[in-house]
Amino acid sequence: MGSMFTLNFLSEILLSTIRMATPLLLVALAELYSERAGLVNIGLDGIMAFGALAGFMVCYITGNPTLGLLAGAVGGVLINMIYAYCTINLCAEQIVYGMAINIFAPAVASFIYRVYFGVSSTLAQATLMKAVAIPVLKDIPVIGQLLFNQTPMVYIAYLLVPLTAIFFNRTKAGLNYKAVGEHPKAAETLGINVVKQKYIACIICGLLAGIGGAYLTTCYVNTYSDGIVAGRGFIALSAVIFGHWTGSGVLLACLLFGFFDALQLRLQIISVTTPYQLFQMLPYIFTLVALAIMGAKKAGPKSKGQPYRREER
Amino acid sequence: METKKKLLSVSVPLLSVVLAFLIGALIIAFLGASPMDSLVYLFQGAFGSATNIGNTLVKATPLIFTGLCACFAYRCGVFNLGGEGQFIMGSITAIWVAAGWGIEGKGAAVIALMLGMAAGGLWGAIPGVLRIVRGLNEMIVSIMLNYVATLFMGYIYTLVLREGSVPQTLPVPDATKLTRIIPGMRATSGLIIALALAAAVYYFLFYTSKGFQLRAVGLNPTASRFNGFPINKFILASFVVSGAIAGLGGAAELLGTQFRLMSGYGLGFGFDGVAIALIAQRNPIATVLVAYFFAVLRVGATTMQVGAGVPTSVIEIIQALVIVFAVAGTALVRLPEIQQLLLPRSATKEEK
């Protein structure tokens, strides 16, 4: 009986780990694509907040979570274009501008929500995306239900990891992409359009981060509230550092962070007497401890954070 | 030429404010209200009576603290996004002294302020130490610590210093509350502390040799290292001081305005501080002015909502637009092309 309980407990934790890690993974990949082109974007929290709202609104109005996710993607790209223009064309400091996005985007999101739903209305609820089981694979004992009975977004997010690895390491386009982040001037002399590549990076980043935000309101909870992102953008940012700017490393980091999120939720249910706030601290403290143990020595794309001026010597 | 540069650095935020207000007016018109009426209500709300002026000053006080907190670290080239956590840790320490020690009076207030400041400084030291020792990104660390501090505060007001059935702490005893400076206004001596602090930070940064070195580290760490400045010490010190400023602000807010901790306490003050410091272009005196401007908007917004029927969140958009424009504008005037256009002879010189 006891062993049954632990098996059940474990599989439930693993199940929610996979779900919790999905938005982190999407957003961490967004940051990976951005940083690979030399753009450090700390505005992920803001983009996610806007994506979460866009996703929720469209899902609420149309009743279709897939459209909601698409809306989140579009919203994320739109917000990130402000960042793109200001950092690429105006050469604004990336960190500072990312921070501006973190303040701007949630304000817009919360404004739209309040104008549309009124100030004192009851919590609006939208439909959640349904899980789609993959035939045959879902019948594998234990892991079948864990891995192959999820929402389509989960599959897409995890599929993106090998695709990203192949793109960056095995394709010419991917190598050109990385060259922009490592040494933009050398890339330019090779005939790569650096500015265009950076814009593409920003589109991918906005798209994935927007979807990551929309995931929260279309696949995870069916409501929108201010602060729903709860620092996930920054956790994703640390996942990129923790994962050493590689697809697989980022996946591992997100799974670890997701695991601690899942664990704290389970612990809250099991141990009612312990104050829940102490459990809720776990993912944040774990992120800190993990980063502190790993250390973050100089790594990552060489030109990250640097503005690129074509005319400059 | 120097005056022209100064003029430029002042005109960017001012233009940003104008632009943000224009867009705000468009949004208000779009919502079917009159932008002009809304503006009148806004100013009535902020300046209409002695009470309102006092309320604006009360709102400005914590923003001045967190603005200075962000400003100070930013001068040393590091980003302290943890103002909120440091503010909250200062507040927790202050309520612990004021409501948990069983002491009352002015002496208790002073102890609470000092320990609040120390707690903020300690909380601020964590990202500094982790950055120096382990090379961690200080932004991520300070953000994570905000969540930890907020949750810790939740633990305090639900379990440790809880008052009855409501999840909030015991109040600060009347004798320990900060004194009001002008009769009929809610502004307290916390405001005096904030203003004195701004002056002190300004003096330190621009009139002392350590302040000069700190700014040098922020502007060019490599050159500073070759000059023999202890970079790591400066970074750590800037974090501790920055955190201490926020912690003192938290203690002053608790003892002067809020009197108890509850859900939502301190929410957003850290990022507001960062926004204020960015618009103020890291100048402590400008930080005070921008913080006051933010407070005017916030206090006025409530009156505007009642009078013109415009939701207060319009004000949040206007604030956010100011920062989006101000940061973009600052970058824009630094572009070589624009520099040549605006300041023909200084085009090759770097800004101060």
Side-chain angles (χ1 to χ4, degrees):
Chain A
M1 199 59 196
S3 65
M4 275 301 289
F5 172 74
T6 43
L7 189 65
N8 196 19
F9 178 74
L10 257 179
S11 72
E12 262 182 40
I13 281 207
L14 288 177
L15 184 71
S16 50
T17 296
I18 286 164
R19 284 193 186 143
M20 298 287 195
T22 305
L24 289 180
L25 183 59
L26 284 164
V27 181
L29 287 173
E31 181 69 12
L32 181 66
Y33 276 95
S34 192
E35 291 203 13
R36 275 292 173 205
L39 295 163
V40 176
N41 191 340
I42 69 160
L44 297 170
D45 250 45
I47 302 173
M48 280 182 86
F50 194 73
L53 176 93
F56 176 75
M57 294 280 289
V58 170
C59 187
Y60 178 80
I61 295 165
T62 64
N64 185 338
T66 313
L67 282 180
L69 281 171
L70 286 176
V74 173
V77 172
L78 282 179
I79 287 287
N80 209 31
M81 280 303 103
I82 307 175
Y83 169 87
Y85 179 75
C86 293
T87 52
I88 300 171
N89 297 75
L90 302 183
C91 299
E93 273 181 73
Q94 293 172 11
I95 301 293
V96 171
Y97 220 84
M99 210 46 221
I101 295 291
N102 272 339
I103 294 162
F104 175 69
V108 177
S110 118
F111 173 74
I112 295 174
Y113 183 83
R114 286 198 198 136
V115 168
Y116 189 82
F117 292 100
V119 181
S120 57
S121 77
T122 47
L123 217 53
Q125 296 190 335
T127 37
L128 278 183
M129 189 174 263
K130 292 201 171 51
V132 176
I134 295 179
V136 187
L137 289 177
K138 77 169 192 324
D139 296 327
I140 302 171
V142 191
I143 63 156
Q145 283 297 313
L146 279 182
L147 303 177
F148 302 109
N149 191 12
Q150 302 273 9
T151 56
M153 231 19 256
V154 176
Y155 306 132
I156 294 174
Y158 288 90
L159 261 180
L160 276 173
V161 176
L163 289 179
T164 301
I166 292 168
F167 173 70
F168 279 129
N169 298 319
R170 298 271 182 271
T171 68
K172 187 161 181 283
L175 293 174
N176 284 349
Y177 192 119
K178 279 205 290 194
V180 170
E182 295 293 338
H183 205 309
K185 268 163 211 146
E188 187 90 49
T189 57
L190 289 172
I192 299 167
N193 186 337
V194 172
V195 169
K196 187 176 143 201
Q197 191 65 64
K198 282 184 186 257
Y199 264 99
I200 292 174
C202 282
I203 291 173
I204 299 175
C205 174
L207 188 98
L208 290 176
I211 294 177
Y215 177 91
L216 296 176
T217 48
T218 58
C219 303
Y220 185 57
V221 289
N222 58 355
T223 54
Y224 171 86
S225 56
D226 290 346
I228 187 173
V229 178
R232 284 191 177 82
F234 286 95
I235 294 186
L237 199 64
S238 35
V240 174
I241 299 171
F242 195 67
H244 284 294
W245 289 268
T246 64
S248 49
V250 165
L251 171 66
L252 194 72
C254 288
L255 283 174
L256 264 175
F257 295 159
F259 170 75
F260 273 83
D261 218 356
L263 183 69
Q264 65 95 358
L265 273 179
R266 289 286 134 195
L267 287 176
Q268 277 187 49
I269 298 166
I270 293 174
S271 172
V272 199
T273 47
T274 316
Y276 68 93
Q277 290 96 345
L278 299 184
F279 291 131
Q280 283 183 350
M281 286 180 194
L282 269 180
Y284 304 110
I285 292 179
F286 170 72
T287 307
L288 286 179
V289 172
L291 284 172
I293 291 170
M294 283 269 302
K297 295 293 161 225
K298 288 264 184 289
K302 285 194 188 64
S303 84
K304 77 180 160 67
Q306 307 291 324
Y308 175 68
R309 291 197 180 105
R310 212 170 164 185
E311 292 80 9
E312 215 173 45
R313 276 169 296 154
Chain B
M1 209 146 64
E2 274 305 308
T3 48
K4 213 171 173 186
K5 264 186 196 165
K6 281 228 173 84
L7 204 68
L8 206 61
S9 69
V10 174
S11 58
V12 166
L14 286 182
L15 260 176
S16 309
V17 170
V18 173
L19 262 176
F21 264 100
L22 281 177
I23 295 184
L26 282 177
I27 296 174
I28 290 171
F30 177 75
L31 291 176
S34 152
M36 217 39 229
D37 287 357
S38 308
L39 197 68
V40 171
Y41 279 117
L42 185 83
F43 282 103
Q44 262 179 17
F47 305 108
S49 68
T51 319
N52 294 14
I53 295 173
N55 283 348
T56 311
L57 292 173
V58 166
K59 264 276 193 300
T61 308
L63 296 176
I64 295 174
F65 280 108
T66 52
L68 288 173
C69 153
C71 176
F72 194 87
Y74 192 14
R75 273 286 173 190
C76 192
V78 284
F79 289 87
N80 180 5
L81 304 185
E84 187 169 317
Q86 293 140 14
F87 186 91
I88 287 174
M89 292 315 273
S91 308
I92 293 174
T93 312
I95 192 71
W96 174 56
V97 174
W101 282 20
I103 50 171
E104 279 185 32
K106 294 289 159 262
V110 172
I111 297 172
L113 286 173
M114 299 305 279
L115 287 184
M117 187 163 84
L122 276 178
W123 204 245
I126 302 172
V129 168
L130 284 177
R131 160 148 175 166
I132 292 164
V133 179
R134 304 296 298 161
L136 298 194
N137 181 318
E138 75 275 11
M139 289 178 286
I140 293 175
V141 176
S142 53
I143 288 269
M144 296 294 132
L145 289 174
N146 284 347
Y147 291 101
V148 176
T150 307
L151 289 166
F152 182 59
M153 177 178 77
Y155 167 66
I156 298 288
Y157 67 66
T158 45
L159 282 163
V160 183
L161 286 169
R162 182 172 179 146
E163 183 188 51
S165 58
V166 199
Q168 61 182 25
T169 61
L170 299 161
V172 175
D174 282 336
T176 314
K177 289 176 182 171
L178 296 182
T179 40
R180 297 189 173 174
I181 39 179
I182 307 162
M185 283 195 195
R186 280 175 60 222
T188 64
S189 44
L191 178 67
I192 307 282
I193 302 175
L195 293 178
L197 198 64
V201 168
Y202 184 80
Y203 178 80
F204 170 77
L205 285 174
F206 297 102
Y207 291 96
T208 65
S209 116
K210 283 278 176 250
F212 168 77
Q213 291 182 12
L214 184 131
R215 285 187 293 131
V217 170
L219 283 173
N220 194 337
T222 321
S224 305
R225 182 171 293 123
F226 286 132
N227 258 313
F229 297 169
I231 310 264
N232 283 346
K233 269 189 196 157
F234 272 108
I235 288 178
L236 182 59
S238 75
F239 258 107
V240 171
V241 172
S242 167
I245 293 173
L248 179 61
E253 174 76 359
L254 185 94
L255 299 174
T257 313
Q258 308 259 359
F259 308 130
R260 56 172 98 224
L261 298 176
M262 58 180 86
S263 175
Y265 178 94
L267 188 70
F269 279 147
F271 274 19
D272 285 340
V274 175
I276 289 165
L278 290 179
I279 297 171
Q281 298 175 352
R282 312 188 285 177
N283 182 314
I285 304 301
T287 297
V288 174
L289 297 176
V290 178
Y292 182 67
F293 168 67
F294 268 43
V296 166
L297 287 181
R298 276 172 201 191
V299 175
T302 326
T303 319
M304 195 177 78
Q305 177 161 309
V306 178
V310 178
T312 50
S313 42
V314 168
I315 291 305
E316 280 164 37
I317 302 258
I318 294 181
Q319 277 173 13
L321 283 171
V322 174
I323 167 163
V324 165
F325 289 140
V327 176
T330 315
L332 183 74
V333 296
R334 273 196 203 141
L335 284 181
E337 301 91 302
I338 306 291
Q339 287 257 311
Q340 254 157 18
L341 211 69
L342 295 173
L343 309 160
R345 277 170 301 164
S346 70
T348 50
K349 283 188 195 161
E350 263 302 300
E351 196 173 327
K352 191 178 96 177

